[in-house]
Amino acid sequence: QVQLQESGPGLVKPSKTPALICAVSGESITTNNWYWNWFRQAPGKGLEWIGAIDYSGTTSYNPSLSGRTSIWSDTSKHQFTLHLFSATPEDTAVYYCAGSTGGACKETSTCNYWGQGTQVTVSS
């Protein structure tokens, strides 16, 4: 059973660059054909796919975020990390990580496993 657990800073001041971590257990993040995704859900809105990193370290991102995100993995710690550059109050959301096989799960129905989510609030 694959399990994912997010952790993050909680409260972030505007213009800072928070790092959110997703710890993975039950599967190696380098296992062939696995993809590791980040989503977020802002208050009153649906889930938004942010981006993903695959088993080989290749990344893909939602162009609507205009290059404000970066995802990288630490295979020794079995985790992958999302950086959100120059945070604004509009980035306030619950952030989720998810695992998928065969490709990034840009549609939530194609994600295989989910974390519980972590709240990030951007406020001065």
Side-chain angles (χ1 to χ4, degrees), residues 4-32:
L4 300 97
Q5 179 65 59
E6 306 91 343
S7 60
L11 180 63
V12 178
K13 292 189 180 299
S15 82
K16 298 298 184 182
T17 298
L20 286 76
I21 295 172
C22 181
V24 181
S25 60
E27 185 63 76
S28 169
I29 62 173
T30 60
T31 297
N32 191 38

Side-chain angles (χ1 to χ4, degrees), residues 12-19 40 65-70 82-92 95 120 122-123:
V12 178
K13 292 189 180 299
S15 82
K16 298 298 184 182
T17 298
R40 67 182 182 181
L65 290 167
S66 302
R68 292 182 54 237
T69 59
S70 178
L82 169 69
H83 282 104
L84 181 62
F85 302 112
S86 300
T88 71
E90 287 68 39
D91 294 315
T92 295
Y95 285 75
V120 174
V122 183
S123 175

Side-chain angles (χ1 to χ4, degrees), residues 29-110:
I29 62 173
T30 60
T31 297
N32 191 38
N33 214 33
W34 275 89
Y35 291 72
W36 308 100
N37 305 263
W38 281 102
F39 287 83
R40 67 182 182 181
Q41 186 167 28
K45 296 187 178 181
L47 280 164
E48 176 185 32
W49 180 76
I50 298 171
I53 187 166
D54 74 10
Y55 56 96
S56 70
T58 300
T59 53
S60 56
Y61 299 100
N62 187 335
S64 71
L65 290 167
S66 302
R68 292 182 54 237
T69 59
S70 178
I71 300 172
W72 56 280
S73 61
D74 186 334
T75 57
S76 66
K77 295 182 178 179
H78 309 290
Q79 63 188 34
F80 59 107
T81 302
L82 169 69
H83 282 104
L84 181 62
F85 302 112
S86 300
T88 71
E90 287 68 39
D91 294 315
T92 295
V94 179
Y95 285 75
Y96 298 90
C97 56
S100 60
T101 57
C105 54
K106 299 178 183 180
E107 299 294 329
T108 57
S109 61
T110 60

